[in-house]
Amino acid sequence: MSDIGKSVIQYIVEQQRAHPDASGDLSGLLSDIVSACKKISHLVSRSGIIGLGGYADSENIQGEAQKKLDIISNDVMVDHLKWTGHLAAMASEEIEDLIQIPGKFPKGKYLICFDPLDGSSNIDINLTVGTIFSILRCPEGNGTPTLKDFMQKGTEQVCAGFCIYGPSTMLILTIGNGVNGFTLDRDVGEFILTHPNMRIPRDTAEFAINMSNQRFWQPPIQRYVDECVRGTEGVREKNFNMRWNASMVAEVYRILTRGGIFLYPSDSKIAKQGGKLRLMYEANPMSFIVEQADGLSSTGLERIMEIQPKDIHQRVPVILGSRAEVERVVRYHSEKA
């Protein structure tokens, strides 16, 4: 019998039942996240009507100007997750320090890292944005988690997912046994399983990269993109299409549904900061999802999920997607080394 049509809550509960020793805390936490994403989806869809577009008079910890919806989406996530007793602490892309659970609420056994509104620069031009999250176990016996407790490799993730707010709102989720996609049925207010067992094709003819940074790229990236652009007249003897949405959730969703490669490599402009994308909020959860869908994810020099984090806001290069293309880029880096 097909699982298509099941609600995300039914799916989560059934996954829990498959593990008799499970406490149900993860199921409860995922239910809380689903609730928060529904609220953010509603706010995004009405942002133009209720005046939530444009920039706020503030910057996040990375020194980037914040959109009004960045702040509001962050508040929605915190408000939905702080009181339910499933989390020991939180970390947000928008906040410099860890977010501790108020003393009046119970604490759970999980930690969460999240980007409340990925791609928020697209809000005012009505393009796709989303929410990304990564769930880790909190070390036992630690009443007040510290930064050290969050410094876990991506391989330690319990669950990862993202919600994409586009023509339809979708939740993409992995708990380590494949990737499933759920579409929000607004008539009943439920996420319904519509894309079971998502798999990334090994080969692709589509790449996504910010070409405006071309003059700053390192030789392996210059070589790879040049070969793609030359198409049938180049050494690849194959035409490629280029995409760029400036929204990681949109790029990864496209890769999950039809294949492709996404590159935000290190370059001479951002080398000192390590890369553009954040390891804990973006690179690790997306790498977990991509690898669970039979893709690969690398910095070009190492597997992203094997990086030992040093800071909650650490940045890294990201190259992920269809296995054959990522392997090629990694090979070019090794040949350069």
Side-chain angles (χ1 to χ4, degrees):
M1 181 178 176
S2 174
D3 288 335
I4 292 178
K6 289 182 178 178
S7 73
V8 66
I9 301 303
Q10 182 181 356
Y11 171 82
I12 291 168
V13 170
E14 289 180 356
Q15 293 298 309
Q16 175 191 330
R17 288 173 180 166
H19 300 84
D21 296 333
S23 64
D25 285 353
L26 180 60
S27 300
L29 174 55
L30 289 172
S31 180
D32 300 337
I33 294 170
V34 166
S35 179
C37 288
K38 289 178 187 177
K39 178 71 175 291
I40 296 171
S41 174
H42 177 71
L43 291 170
V44 168
S45 68
R46 290 181 53 80
S47 61
I49 297 172
I50 58 181
L52 297 181
Y55 287 94
D57 295 326
S58 61
E59 294 182 344
N60 63 17
I61 179 58
Q62 287 82 24
E64 300 164 338
Q66 291 176 304
K67 294 280 190 172
K68 294 175 184 177
L69 268 174
D70 282 322
I71 299 170
I72 293 170
S73 299
N74 181 79
D75 291 344
V76 169
M77 290 292 286
V78 173
D79 289 344
H80 276 72
L81 302 178
K82 69 183 181 182
W83 61 272
T84 58
H86 299 127
L87 287 173
M90 296 178 266
S92 168
E93 182 193 19
E94 301 299 327
I95 305 295
E96 180 176 2
D97 299 319
L98 299 183
I99 303 167
Q100 299 292 347
I101 303 300
K104 62 182 177 180
F105 299 130
K107 292 185 179 180
K109 60 183 182 181
Y110 292 106
L111 306 171
I112 189 170
C113 301
F114 60 83
D115 180 350
L117 200 64
D118 176 72
S120 57
S121 62
N122 285 333
I123 282 290
D124 293 338
I125 54 174
N126 201 28
L127 292 181
T128 302
V129 296
T131 299
I132 309 172
F133 60 90
S134 168
I135 298 173
L136 303 163
R137 288 186 178 86
C138 183
E140 293 184 12
N142 195 341
T144 303
T146 65
L147 185 64
K148 182 180 178 181
D149 296 313
F150 279 83
M151 297 297 96
Q152 302 180 40
K153 295 181 180 181
T155 51
E156 300 301 312
Q157 291 175 101
V158 176
C159 172
F162 66 89
C163 208
I164 181 168
Y165 313 120
S168 61
T169 293
M170 290 198 65
L171 173 68
I172 307 301
L173 184 67
T174 183
I175 54 177
N177 60 351
V179 178
N180 290 281
F182 303 83
T183 303
L184 180 62
D185 184 339
R186 298 187 184 276
D187 289 340
V188 297
E190 292 278 4
F191 280 99
I192 304 300
L193 181 61
T194 52
H195 295 64
N197 193 29
M198 302 179 82
R199 310 293 288 178
I200 298 172
R202 177 181 174 83
D203 297 295
T204 184
E206 197 163 76
F207 70 102
I209 194 167
N210 185 347
M211 288 291 291
S212 68
N213 293 324
Q214 183 175 11
R215 65 191 184 278
F216 304 112
W217 293 340
Q218 296 172 346
I221 302 299
Q222 296 276 12
R223 175 184 176 185
Y224 176 76
V225 174
D226 181 67
E227 289 177 355
C228 292
V229 171
R230 289 182 181 275
T232 55
E233 298 175 3
V235 297
R236 299 294 301 273
E237 299 180 343
K238 174 181 177 180
N239 286 326
F240 283 77
N241 289 324
M242 192 190 83
R243 298 286 184 264
W244 186 251
N245 285 295
S247 169
M248 194 178 189
V249 292
E251 305 289 2
V252 173
Y253 180 72
R254 186 185 64 251
I255 288 170
L256 286 169
T257 53
R258 69 188 195 195
I261 184 172
F262 167 83
L263 307 97
Y264 215 125
S266 179
D267 59 46
S268 60
K269 183 174 66 171
I270 59 175
K272 289 184 178 179
Q273 66 187 37
K276 175 66 174 178
L277 300 176
R278 291 78 175 175
L279 175 64
M280 304 300 288
Y281 314 106
E282 297 166 324
N284 268 342
M286 289 308 203
S287 296
F288 191 16
I289 291 166
V290 165
E291 289 194 7
Q292 283 292 312
D294 202 32
L296 288 180
S297 183
S298 173
T299 66
L301 298 174
E302 61 184 321
R303 182 187 179 202
I304 286 175
M305 290 209 296
E306 292 180 349
I307 296 173
Q308 177 60 57
K310 297 177 181 178
D311 183 80
I312 199 69
H313 298 292
Q314 181 176 344
R315 297 176 189 247
V316 294
V318 175
I319 300 160
L320 57 75
S322 292
R323 181 174 292 269
E325 294 304 305
V326 176
E327 287 174 342
R328 177 179 289 268
V329 178
V330 169
R331 186 171 73 250
Y332 288 177
H333 278 82
S334 66
E335 291 174 1
K336 174 64 170 59

